[in-house]
Amino acid sequence: QVQLLESGGGLVQAGGYLKLSCTASGRTFSDYIMAWFRQAPGKERELVTAINWSGRSAYYADSAKGRFTISRDNARNELYLEMNSLVPEDTAVYYCAAATYGTNYYPPFASSDFGSWGQGTQVTVSS
């Protein structure tokens, strides 16, 4: 089992920047593929970005490519999401997730590939 806690959400103007953090505890952090999902009101939860065990390979949804950067610090058991050039369509609750142990790194992933979830942090982008 791994427990996840997000932080760093808030209100930002369009064109702005936010950095989200996720702290993991309970199991060996480097054993898990990690990801950020988001869910806007009335919409399905969607994958934003994922990162492999070492942090040397990452996947980005089209909506995030070129604007968002995922990274991890295994020594600190932390996952990060840097978001640049934010637009109102980025407004959502953002969730940190850890894949089920043993999941292959083969993007794109589905939410069903992830067995541990944080409580989410709200990101609101104003126009």
Side-chain angles (χ1 to χ4, degrees):
Q1 296 180 338
V2 59
Q3 292 77 48
L4 305 172
L5 179 63
E6 304 96 337
S7 63
L11 175 65
V12 64
Q13 291 184 325
Y17 167 90
L18 276 178
K19 182 177 180 179
L20 307 183
S21 298
C22 172
T23 301
S25 62
R27 299 290 180 178
T28 302
F29 182 60
S30 60
D31 286 345
Y32 296 91
I33 297 168
M34 299 295 297
W36 291 96
F37 288 77
R38 69 185 183 187
Q39 187 168 23
K43 295 184 178 181
E44 298 291 325
R45 186 173 298 185
E46 64 177 354
L47 175 65
V48 179
T49 177
I51 191 166
N52 77 342
W53 306 271
S54 67
R56 295 187 177 93
S57 183
Y59 165 84
Y60 295 93
D62 288 343
S63 61
K65 188 179 291 293
R67 299 190 300 126
F68 293 4
T69 302
I70 189 172
S71 61
R72 66 193 297 165
D73 186 338
N74 287 340
R76 292 189 171 188
N77 293 341
E78 291 184 336
L79 178 75
Y80 309 101
L81 178 63
E82 295 182 86
M83 301 183 289
N84 292 288
S85 302
L86 286 161
V87 294
E89 291 76 17
D90 295 320
T91 296
V93 177
Y94 284 71
Y95 297 91
C96 173
T100 302
Y101 182 82
T103 300
N104 293 328
Y105 187 78
Y106 197 84
F109 302 100
S111 60
S112 59
D113 293 319
F114 294 83
S116 299
W117 297 82
Q119 294 298 306
T121 185
Q122 176 71 45
V123 172
T124 302
V125 184
S126 63
S127 60

